[in-house]
Amino acid sequence: MNSPLPKEPTFTKESLKKQFRLSEFLAEKVISSVAFLSIAIIFLIFIFVFKESLPLFSAAEKVQVQTETQTITGATVETYGSETSTESEPETYGEPAESLEPETYGTPTEELNPVAEESSEPETYGTVTEDLNPDSASEEVVAVDEKVTQNNEGEDRTWSTFFTTEWVPVSDNPRFGLIALLIGTLKVTLIAMLIAGPLAILAAVYTSCFASNRRKEIIKPIIEMLAAFPSVVIGFFAMMVLATFFQDIFGYDSRLNAFIGGVAMALAAIPIIYTISEDALSAVPKTYTEASLALGASKAQTAFSVILPAATPGIFAALLLGVGRVFGETMIALMATGNAALLSANPFESVRTFAATIGSEMAETVFGETHYSVLFFIGSLLFIFSFILNAVAEFYVKGKLIKKFQGK
Amino acid sequence: MRDIKIQVNDLSLYYGEKKALKEISMQIPANKVTALIGPSGCGKSTFLRCINRMNDLIPSVKITGEMLVEGVDIYDKNVDVVNIRKKIGMVFQKSNPFPKSIYENVAYGPRINGLKDKTQLDEIVETSLRQAAIWDEFKDRLDDSALGLSGGQQQRLCIARTLAVSPDIILMDEPASALDPISTSKIEELVHQLKENYTIIIVTHNMQQAARTSDHTAFFYMGELIEMGKTNAIFTKPEKKQTEDYITGRFG
Ligand SMILES: Nc1ncnc2c1ncn2[C@@H]1O[C@H](COP(=O)(O)OP(=O)(O)OP(=O)(O)O)[C@@H](O)[C@H]1O
Ligand SMILES: [Mg+2]
């Protein structure tokens, strides 16, 4: 009996010499940098959020110097407290509660975008809609006054306007075109997933297949910590830091847009995708790894041709849940996407998502009005969508896993 | 000495503080079957895994001494562990086929070595399956999942998978321990045929199996190599009392 391959002279110092495998080396380096990048982002967020609040502290000191009457240290506490309310402009960041009044919607953007400030009158919902033409603006003024009387007429045409592209819910001719919202939502979701998916999966591959136990114990909790970040904080970070950063790079016009929203939502989706993928990868029996290595496969070959394929159902589920998170994410959408229901293929245009629409408009619709019902209809869509996603994730994965690990 | 394949000199292995192998020295002949026997926990698997450096995967392991394969110390800093494992294949106690088709399982090794040509792959898959004596059983269902096979079939598939990378040495850790007598005898037969081309080291708890399949036998006890010699000699007139006690079933 002959062995299948012609045998080279075996076991010489030459044939066993340590080889430098470039692709292997690069793969490991790329993957590990991705893992560390994810961690860096977390610290970045914290640092920038904290940095923005610094003036609070320095302002307190300044005032202390100016108002020399209050030199006694005992008064410091008081100064501090009172300064907080006057100097820190409470109507701006992180105060979504204020959003009950229409004019506060775009406030974060007003701060950054002087142009938007002009149009930030009560009748314009998404203050940032730069291209909101004067006509429709005045139209809406009327609408606000007459909306109750217009109500009946609007209702008849509600359904027919669903498939149009214009979302002008408050007007004497209200149009509830969901297409722009749908496209906007999909655009943001796609961008977010294109960023979060690869990053999170590579980070998971690194932690479960390459990192030493000690590193794993550090990396995993830190990335998972990102999941605990309130979305307001991520939205704030996107608005203040990412928007400027990417504007410098890409030079787009509207500061807050689908891309920024997508990046911010990727930050929210990464920990979910990462955690579930990592669990799926770690759940792949160690015997597969051993078998592969014993056949002379390298770590990277083992990771990509054995472990990753064996974990696909779990990773697929992770991605679906990530999509669900992005789809329903409201606060980040509200803060970072620009909130203008524009229909465009350009990722650097402002968009408005389903969730953000509900979040921003629900407060000032009139109970029982068409607008009100439409918002609830959108809510139902979101619910059905996430229900389907979760169900598919659950059943697909269970079915696949059973097939995979038990033979069919 | 052409017919000595592996020369072990004072090899000790620690799991953290615990010394699991104590100054093992032995010679393993080429193209023969060497059986490792001994009571549970005496370090047989540990020793076997030293030979293809699988113990590298356990962070706490520390190894001293030499493991010379054809005169090359495989623990040398300049030796590539991946290359070592290509030449020293391993079959595990619990069969562990990948969750892929039968064909893909066998083709995996050649593929990671960069072989893409379909006809060549087909050829290797067929030869390997033939060598493992399962070609006739499997030839019509190469695309079936390997996980749907019986334990014995899976184990022989794992052997075929190992043969497909054409190693020089094959390590087997109780390859038949989970199998029925028929599958076991098939595997023993296989081992017997394979020794023409390969050096085989097999761990077993089954004395008859050791006696039937092996040319040489090494008896381990509490991390030490007590005795090694021709299987015949070990089983008929062992030099050490412990060996005799173990073989005759008086302890272990
Ligand atoms: N990963 C490990 N970490 C720490 N100690 C270990 C590890 N693997 C094995 N040991 C210890 O090393 C000793 C030898 O184990 P080994 O698995 O080599 O025994 P064995 O002879 O193969 O036993 P069996 O016949 O039951 O398979 C045992 O005492 C075991 O507890
Ligand atoms: Mg063992």
Side-chain angles (χ1 to χ4, degrees), chain A residues 34-63:
Chain A
V34 164
F36 287 108
L37 179 74
S38 311
I39 293 176
I41 289 173
I42 294 162
F43 285 109
L44 264 184
I45 295 179
F46 182 77
I47 289 169
F48 278 102
V49 170
F50 185 72
K51 203 191 87 194
E52 291 299 318
S53 72
L54 273 183
L56 199 62
F57 299 95
S58 49
E61 278 163 29
K62 257 184 235 151
V63 171

PDB file of all heavy atoms in Angstrom, chain A residues 34-63:
ATOM      1  N   VAL A  34      -8.559  45.046  15.422  1.00  0.00           N
ATOM      2  CA  VAL A  34      -9.997  45.308  15.450  1.00  0.00           C
ATOM      3  C   VAL A  34     -10.524  45.201  16.872  1.00  0.00           C
ATOM      4  O   VAL A  34     -11.275  46.061  17.341  1.00  0.00           O
ATOM      5  CB  VAL A  34     -10.746  44.327  14.525  1.00  0.00           C
ATOM      6  CG1 VAL A  34     -12.222  44.329  14.854  1.00  0.00           C
ATOM      7  CG2 VAL A  34     -10.533  44.704  13.083  1.00  0.00           C
ATOM      8  N   ALA A  35     -10.084  44.153  17.553  1.00  0.00           N
ATOM      9  CA  ALA A  35     -10.543  43.982  18.927  1.00  0.00           C
ATOM     10  C   ALA A  35     -10.143  45.178  19.782  1.00  0.00           C
ATOM     11  O   ALA A  35     -10.939  45.705  20.554  1.00  0.00           O
ATOM     12  CB  ALA A  35      -9.987  42.694  19.517  1.00  0.00           C
ATOM     13  N   PHE A  36      -8.904  45.613  19.596  1.00  0.00           N
ATOM     14  CA  PHE A  36      -8.456  46.717  20.430  1.00  0.00           C
ATOM     15  C   PHE A  36      -9.084  48.029  20.001  1.00  0.00           C
ATOM     16  O   PHE A  36      -9.309  48.913  20.813  1.00  0.00           O
ATOM     17  CB  PHE A  36      -6.929  46.784  20.437  1.00  0.00           C
ATOM     18  CG  PHE A  36      -6.348  45.673  21.253  1.00  0.00           C
ATOM     19  CD1 PHE A  36      -5.708  44.606  20.653  1.00  0.00           C
ATOM     20  CD2 PHE A  36      -6.495  45.677  22.631  1.00  0.00           C
ATOM     21  CE1 PHE A  36      -5.212  43.560  21.413  1.00  0.00           C
ATOM     22  CE2 PHE A  36      -6.002  44.639  23.396  1.00  0.00           C
ATOM     23  CZ  PHE A  36      -5.362  43.578  22.784  1.00  0.00           C
ATOM     24  N   LEU A  37      -9.392  48.137  18.700  1.00  0.00           N
ATOM     25  CA  LEU A  37     -10.090  49.327  18.220  1.00  0.00           C
ATOM     26  C   LEU A  37     -11.428  49.473  18.933  1.00  0.00           C
ATOM     27  O   LEU A  37     -11.798  50.553  19.387  1.00  0.00           O
ATOM     28  CB  LEU A  37     -10.314  49.218  16.712  1.00  0.00           C
ATOM     29  CG  LEU A  37     -11.059  50.387  16.076  1.00  0.00           C
ATOM     30  CD1 LEU A  37     -10.135  51.592  15.985  1.00  0.00           C
ATOM     31  CD2 LEU A  37     -11.565  50.019  14.697  1.00  0.00           C
ATOM     32  N   SER A  38     -12.129  48.349  19.039  1.00  0.00           N
ATOM     33  CA  SER A  38     -13.431  48.403  19.703  1.00  0.00           C
ATOM     34  C   SER A  38     -13.281  48.917  21.125  1.00  0.00           C
ATOM     35  O   SER A  38     -14.108  49.690  21.608  1.00  0.00           O
ATOM     36  CB  SER A  38     -14.070  47.014  19.734  1.00  0.00           C
ATOM     37  OG  SER A  38     -14.012  46.438  18.461  1.00  0.00           O
ATOM     38  N   ILE A  39     -12.211  48.482  21.755  1.00  0.00           N
ATOM     39  CA  ILE A  39     -11.997  48.939  23.122  1.00  0.00           C
ATOM     40  C   ILE A  39     -11.646  50.419  23.141  1.00  0.00           C
ATOM     41  O   ILE A  39     -12.149  51.186  23.957  1.00  0.00           O
ATOM     42  CB  ILE A  39     -10.876  48.117  23.778  1.00  0.00           C
ATOM     43  CG1 ILE A  39     -11.355  46.683  23.943  1.00  0.00           C
ATOM     44  CG2 ILE A  39     -10.488  48.712  25.110  1.00  0.00           C
ATOM     45  CD1 ILE A  39     -10.320  45.767  24.486  1.00  0.00           C
ATOM     46  N   ALA A  40     -10.819  50.818  22.158  1.00  0.00           N
ATOM     47  CA  ALA A  40     -10.424  52.220  22.092  1.00  0.00           C
ATOM     48  C   ALA A  40     -11.648  53.109  21.951  1.00  0.00           C
ATOM     49  O   ALA A  40     -11.737  54.168  22.577  1.00  0.00           O
ATOM     50  CB  ALA A  40      -9.471  52.439  20.928  1.00  0.00           C
ATOM     51  N   ILE A  41     -12.604  52.670  21.138  1.00  0.00           N
ATOM     52  CA  ILE A  41     -13.810  53.464  20.926  1.00  0.00           C
ATOM     53  C   ILE A  41     -14.524  53.732  22.248  1.00  0.00           C
ATOM     54  O   ILE A  41     -14.974  54.840  22.514  1.00  0.00           O
ATOM     55  CB  ILE A  41     -14.760  52.743  19.951  1.00  0.00           C
ATOM     56  CG1 ILE A  41     -14.159  52.777  18.550  1.00  0.00           C
ATOM     57  CG2 ILE A  41     -16.126  53.401  19.951  1.00  0.00           C
ATOM     58  CD1 ILE A  41     -14.917  51.950  17.558  1.00  0.00           C
ATOM     59  N   ILE A  42     -14.552  52.715  23.062  1.00  0.00           N
ATOM     60  CA  ILE A  42     -15.248  52.869  24.334  1.00  0.00           C
ATOM     61  C   ILE A  42     -14.603  53.956  25.186  1.00  0.00           C
ATOM     62  O   ILE A  42     -15.275  54.818  25.740  1.00  0.00           O
ATOM     63  CB  ILE A  42     -15.258  51.530  25.087  1.00  0.00           C
ATOM     64  CG1 ILE A  42     -16.103  50.553  24.297  1.00  0.00           C
ATOM     65  CG2 ILE A  42     -15.788  51.692  26.495  1.00  0.00           C
ATOM     66  CD1 ILE A  42     -15.869  49.127  24.659  1.00  0.00           C
ATOM     67  N   PHE A  43     -13.278  53.912  25.218  1.00  0.00           N
ATOM     68  CA  PHE A  43     -12.601  54.930  26.005  1.00  0.00           C
ATOM     69  C   PHE A  43     -12.778  56.304  25.376  1.00  0.00           C
ATOM     70  O   PHE A  43     -12.958  57.301  26.068  1.00  0.00           O
ATOM     71  CB  PHE A  43     -11.129  54.580  26.176  1.00  0.00           C
ATOM     72  CG  PHE A  43     -10.938  53.490  27.171  1.00  0.00           C
ATOM     73  CD1 PHE A  43     -10.543  52.229  26.774  1.00  0.00           C
ATOM     74  CD2 PHE A  43     -11.183  53.709  28.519  1.00  0.00           C
ATOM     75  CE1 PHE A  43     -10.399  51.215  27.693  1.00  0.00           C
ATOM     76  CE2 PHE A  43     -11.041  52.707  29.446  1.00  0.00           C
ATOM     77  CZ  PHE A  43     -10.643  51.449  29.034  1.00  0.00           C
ATOM     78  N   LEU A  44     -12.743  56.330  24.030  1.00  0.00           N
ATOM     79  CA  LEU A  44     -12.950  57.589  23.327  1.00  0.00           C
ATOM     80  C   LEU A  44     -14.276  58.212  23.730  1.00  0.00           C
ATOM     81  O   LEU A  44     -14.346  59.388  24.058  1.00  0.00           O
ATOM     82  CB  LEU A  44     -12.987  57.326  21.821  1.00  0.00           C
ATOM     83  CG  LEU A  44     -11.692  57.535  21.073  1.00  0.00           C
ATOM     84  CD1 LEU A  44     -11.921  57.321  19.592  1.00  0.00           C
ATOM     85  CD2 LEU A  44     -11.196  58.938  21.336  1.00  0.00           C
ATOM     86  N   ILE A  45     -15.311  57.396  23.696  1.00  0.00           N
ATOM     87  CA  ILE A  45     -16.632  57.907  24.025  1.00  0.00           C
ATOM     88  C   ILE A  45     -16.610  58.526  25.410  1.00  0.00           C
ATOM     89  O   ILE A  45     -17.023  59.662  25.623  1.00  0.00           O
ATOM     90  CB  ILE A  45     -17.691  56.789  23.988  1.00  0.00           C
ATOM     91  CG1 ILE A  45     -17.832  56.266  22.574  1.00  0.00           C
ATOM     92  CG2 ILE A  45     -19.021  57.304  24.488  1.00  0.00           C
ATOM     93  CD1 ILE A  45     -18.836  55.162  22.444  1.00  0.00           C
ATOM     94  N   PHE A  46     -16.060  57.785  26.330  1.00  0.00           N
ATOM     95  CA  PHE A  46     -16.048  58.267  27.691  1.00  0.00           C
ATOM     96  C   PHE A  46     -15.282  59.581  27.791  1.00  0.00           C
ATOM     97  O   PHE A  46     -15.747  60.558  28.360  1.00  0.00           O
ATOM     98  CB  PHE A  46     -15.438  57.219  28.620  1.00  0.00           C
ATOM     99  CG  PHE A  46     -15.443  57.659  30.041  1.00  0.00           C
ATOM    100  CD1 PHE A  46     -16.619  57.605  30.776  1.00  0.00           C
ATOM    101  CD2 PHE A  46     -14.302  58.169  30.629  1.00  0.00           C
ATOM    102  CE1 PHE A  46     -16.639  58.037  32.088  1.00  0.00           C
ATOM    103  CE2 PHE A  46     -14.323  58.599  31.938  1.00  0.00           C
ATOM    104  CZ  PHE A  46     -15.493  58.533  32.673  1.00  0.00           C
ATOM    105  N   ILE A  47     -14.110  59.600  27.176  1.00  0.00           N
ATOM    106  CA  ILE A  47     -13.270  60.786  27.288  1.00  0.00           C
ATOM    107  C   ILE A  47     -13.968  62.006  26.701  1.00  0.00           C
ATOM    108  O   ILE A  47     -14.005  63.077  27.303  1.00  0.00           O
ATOM    109  CB  ILE A  47     -11.919  60.546  26.576  1.00  0.00           C
ATOM    110  CG1 ILE A  47     -11.093  59.560  27.396  1.00  0.00           C
ATOM    111  CG2 ILE A  47     -11.171  61.849  26.395  1.00  0.00           C
ATOM    112  CD1 ILE A  47      -9.878  59.056  26.671  1.00  0.00           C
ATOM    113  N   PHE A  48     -14.587  61.821  25.512  1.00  0.00           N
ATOM    114  CA  PHE A  48     -15.188  62.986  24.878  1.00  0.00           C
ATOM    115  C   PHE A  48     -16.431  63.458  25.611  1.00  0.00           C
ATOM    116  O   PHE A  48     -16.654  64.662  25.760  1.00  0.00           O
ATOM    117  CB  PHE A  48     -15.497  62.701  23.414  1.00  0.00           C
ATOM    118  CG  PHE A  48     -14.288  62.878  22.555  1.00  0.00           C
ATOM    119  CD1 PHE A  48     -13.574  61.785  22.119  1.00  0.00           C
ATOM    120  CD2 PHE A  48     -13.852  64.150  22.219  1.00  0.00           C
ATOM    121  CE1 PHE A  48     -12.443  61.950  21.351  1.00  0.00           C
ATOM    122  CE2 PHE A  48     -12.727  64.318  21.443  1.00  0.00           C
ATOM    123  CZ  PHE A  48     -12.016  63.212  21.010  1.00  0.00           C
ATOM    124  N   VAL A  49     -17.192  62.518  26.071  1.00  0.00           N
ATOM    125  CA  VAL A  49     -18.391  62.914  26.801  1.00  0.00           C
ATOM    126  C   VAL A  49     -17.988  63.681  28.052  1.00  0.00           C
ATOM    127  O   VAL A  49     -18.549  64.717  28.388  1.00  0.00           O
ATOM    128  CB  VAL A  49     -19.230  61.676  27.164  1.00  0.00           C
ATOM    129  CG1 VAL A  49     -20.338  62.056  28.121  1.00  0.00           C
ATOM    130  CG2 VAL A  49     -19.814  61.081  25.904  1.00  0.00           C
ATOM    131  N   PHE A  50     -16.968  63.175  28.702  1.00  0.00           N
ATOM    132  CA  PHE A  50     -16.513  63.829  29.917  1.00  0.00           C
ATOM    133  C   PHE A  50     -15.921  65.197  29.595  1.00  0.00           C
ATOM    134  O   PHE A  50     -16.165  66.177  30.275  1.00  0.00           O
ATOM    135  CB  PHE A  50     -15.487  62.940  30.604  1.00  0.00           C
ATOM    136  CG  PHE A  50     -15.048  63.465  31.929  1.00  0.00           C
ATOM    137  CD1 PHE A  50     -15.908  63.414  33.017  1.00  0.00           C
ATOM    138  CD2 PHE A  50     -13.791  64.017  32.090  1.00  0.00           C
ATOM    139  CE1 PHE A  50     -15.515  63.906  34.247  1.00  0.00           C
ATOM    140  CE2 PHE A  50     -13.388  64.520  33.315  1.00  0.00           C
ATOM    141  CZ  PHE A  50     -14.259  64.458  34.398  1.00  0.00           C
ATOM    142  N   LYS A  51     -15.190  65.248  28.508  1.00  0.00           N
ATOM    143  CA  LYS A  51     -14.523  66.487  28.125  1.00  0.00           C
ATOM    144  C   LYS A  51     -15.529  67.612  27.925  1.00  0.00           C
ATOM    145  O   LYS A  51     -15.298  68.747  28.302  1.00  0.00           O
ATOM    146  CB  LYS A  51     -13.722  66.260  26.838  1.00  0.00           C
ATOM    147  CG  LYS A  51     -12.587  67.226  26.633  1.00  0.00           C
ATOM    148  CD  LYS A  51     -12.012  67.108  25.239  1.00  0.00           C
ATOM    149  CE  LYS A  51     -12.775  67.991  24.284  1.00  0.00           C
ATOM    150  NZ  LYS A  51     -12.509  67.703  22.889  1.00  0.00           N
ATOM    151  N   GLU A  52     -16.647  67.280  27.300  1.00  0.00           N
ATOM    152  CA  GLU A  52     -17.646  68.301  27.021  1.00  0.00           C
ATOM    153  C   GLU A  52     -18.264  68.862  28.298  1.00  0.00           C
ATOM    154  O   GLU A  52     -18.817  69.944  28.287  1.00  0.00           O
ATOM    155  CB  GLU A  52     -18.750  67.734  26.124  1.00  0.00           C
ATOM    156  CG  GLU A  52     -18.293  67.439  24.701  1.00  0.00           C
ATOM    157  CD  GLU A  52     -17.806  68.681  23.970  1.00  0.00           C
ATOM    158  OE1 GLU A  52     -18.447  69.733  24.098  1.00  0.00           O
ATOM    159  OE2 GLU A  52     -16.764  68.592  23.291  1.00  0.00           O
ATOM    160  N   SER A  53     -18.163  68.076  29.349  1.00  0.00           N
ATOM    161  CA  SER A  53     -18.759  68.584  30.581  1.00  0.00           C
ATOM    162  C   SER A  53     -17.742  69.362  31.411  1.00  0.00           C
ATOM    163  O   SER A  53     -18.072  69.933  32.438  1.00  0.00           O
ATOM    164  CB  SER A  53     -19.326  67.424  31.406  1.00  0.00           C
ATOM    165  OG  SER A  53     -18.266  66.679  31.949  1.00  0.00           O
ATOM    166  N   LEU A  54     -16.517  69.391  30.938  1.00  0.00           N
ATOM    167  CA  LEU A  54     -15.464  70.059  31.705  1.00  0.00           C
ATOM    168  C   LEU A  54     -15.729  71.541  31.952  1.00  0.00           C
ATOM    169  O   LEU A  54     -15.486  72.031  33.054  1.00  0.00           O
ATOM    170  CB  LEU A  54     -14.109  69.869  31.014  1.00  0.00           C
ATOM    171  CG  LEU A  54     -13.366  68.590  31.391  1.00  0.00           C
ATOM    172  CD1 LEU A  54     -12.017  68.558  30.706  1.00  0.00           C
ATOM    173  CD2 LEU A  54     -13.186  68.505  32.904  1.00  0.00           C
ATOM    174  N   PRO A  55     -16.223  72.288  30.935  1.00  0.00           N
ATOM    175  CA  PRO A  55     -16.455  73.726  31.165  1.00  0.00           C
ATOM    176  C   PRO A  55     -17.248  73.990  32.424  1.00  0.00           C
ATOM    177  O   PRO A  55     -17.069  75.005  33.080  1.00  0.00           O
ATOM    178  CB  PRO A  55     -17.248  74.147  29.926  1.00  0.00           C
ATOM    179  CG  PRO A  55     -16.839  73.193  28.879  1.00  0.00           C
ATOM    180  CD  PRO A  55     -16.551  71.895  29.571  1.00  0.00           C
ATOM    181  N   LEU A  56     -18.088  73.070  32.736  1.00  0.00           N
ATOM    182  CA  LEU A  56     -18.879  73.177  33.951  1.00  0.00           C
ATOM    183  C   LEU A  56     -17.992  73.440  35.152  1.00  0.00           C
ATOM    184  O   LEU A  56     -18.242  74.308  35.960  1.00  0.00           O
ATOM    185  CB  LEU A  56     -19.617  71.861  34.134  1.00  0.00           C
ATOM    186  CG  LEU A  56     -20.807  71.838  35.040  1.00  0.00           C
ATOM    187  CD1 LEU A  56     -21.867  72.760  34.483  1.00  0.00           C
ATOM    188  CD2 LEU A  56     -21.327  70.417  35.108  1.00  0.00           C
ATOM    189  N   PHE A  57     -16.942  72.665  35.213  1.00  0.00           N
ATOM    190  CA  PHE A  57     -16.045  72.789  36.362  1.00  0.00           C
ATOM    191  C   PHE A  57     -15.231  74.056  36.281  1.00  0.00           C
ATOM    192  O   PHE A  57     -15.119  74.798  37.241  1.00  0.00           O
ATOM    193  CB  PHE A  57     -15.130  71.570  36.443  1.00  0.00           C
ATOM    194  CG  PHE A  57     -15.887  70.301  36.610  1.00  0.00           C
ATOM    195  CD1 PHE A  57     -16.224  69.519  35.512  1.00  0.00           C
ATOM    196  CD2 PHE A  57     -16.300  69.888  37.866  1.00  0.00           C
ATOM    197  CE1 PHE A  57     -16.934  68.358  35.670  1.00  0.00           C
ATOM    198  CE2 PHE A  57     -17.016  68.728  38.026  1.00  0.00           C
ATOM    199  CZ  PHE A  57     -17.336  67.958  36.930  1.00  0.00           C
ATOM    200  N   SER A  58     -14.703  74.335  35.101  1.00  0.00           N
ATOM    201  CA  SER A  58     -13.863  75.521  34.992  1.00  0.00           C
ATOM    202  C   SER A  58     -14.721  76.778  35.119  1.00  0.00           C
ATOM    203  O   SER A  58     -14.304  77.767  35.689  1.00  0.00           O
ATOM    204  CB  SER A  58     -13.090  75.514  33.680  1.00  0.00           C
ATOM    205  OG  SER A  58     -13.962  75.253  32.615  1.00  0.00           O
ATOM    206  N   ALA A  59     -15.931  76.728  34.580  1.00  0.00           N
ATOM    207  CA  ALA A  59     -16.820  77.885  34.669  1.00  0.00           C
ATOM    208  C   ALA A  59     -17.072  78.229  36.127  1.00  0.00           C
ATOM    209  O   ALA A  59     -17.016  79.381  36.528  1.00  0.00           O
ATOM    210  CB  ALA A  59     -18.134  77.594  33.967  1.00  0.00           C
ATOM    211  N   ALA A  60     -17.297  77.226  36.896  1.00  0.00           N
ATOM    212  CA  ALA A  60     -17.548  77.458  38.308  1.00  0.00           C
ATOM    213  C   ALA A  60     -16.386  78.198  38.946  1.00  0.00           C
ATOM    214  O   ALA A  60     -16.566  79.119  39.730  1.00  0.00           O
ATOM    215  CB  ALA A  60     -17.783  76.134  39.015  1.00  0.00           C
ATOM    216  N   GLU A  61     -15.205  77.819  38.551  1.00  0.00           N
ATOM    217  CA  GLU A  61     -14.031  78.470  39.125  1.00  0.00           C
ATOM    218  C   GLU A  61     -13.948  79.926  38.690  1.00  0.00           C
ATOM    219  O   GLU A  61     -13.704  80.820  39.479  1.00  0.00           O
ATOM    220  CB  GLU A  61     -12.767  77.733  38.693  1.00  0.00           C
ATOM    221  CG  GLU A  61     -12.494  76.521  39.559  1.00  0.00           C
ATOM    222  CD  GLU A  61     -11.525  75.579  38.898  1.00  0.00           C
ATOM    223  OE1 GLU A  61     -10.682  76.066  38.108  1.00  0.00           O
ATOM    224  OE2 GLU A  61     -11.633  74.370  39.150  1.00  0.00           O
ATOM    225  N   LYS A  62     -14.163  80.141  37.393  1.00  0.00           N
ATOM    226  CA  LYS A  62     -14.079  81.495  36.861  1.00  0.00           C
ATOM    227  C   LYS A  62     -15.011  82.429  37.600  1.00  0.00           C
ATOM    228  O   LYS A  62     -14.636  83.497  38.046  1.00  0.00           O
ATOM    229  CB  LYS A  62     -14.460  81.483  35.375  1.00  0.00           C
ATOM    230  CG  LYS A  62     -13.240  81.569  34.455  1.00  0.00           C
ATOM    231  CD  LYS A  62     -13.687  81.663  33.010  1.00  0.00           C
ATOM    232  CE  LYS A  62     -13.051  80.587  32.175  1.00  0.00           C
ATOM    233  NZ  LYS A  62     -13.880  80.199  31.036  1.00  0.00           N
ATOM    234  N   VAL A  63     -16.219  81.988  37.712  1.00  0.00           N
ATOM    235  CA  VAL A  63     -17.215  82.830  38.349  1.00  0.00           C
ATOM    236  C   VAL A  63     -16.794  83.168  39.767  1.00  0.00           C
ATOM    237  O   VAL A  63     -16.946  84.283  40.240  1.00  0.00           O
ATOM    238  CB  VAL A  63     -18.574  82.117  38.360  1.00  0.00           C
ATOM    239  CG1 VAL A  63     -19.562  82.890  39.219  1.00  0.00           C
ATOM    240  CG2 VAL A  63     -19.088  82.013  36.937  1.00  0.00           C
TER     241      VAL A  63
END
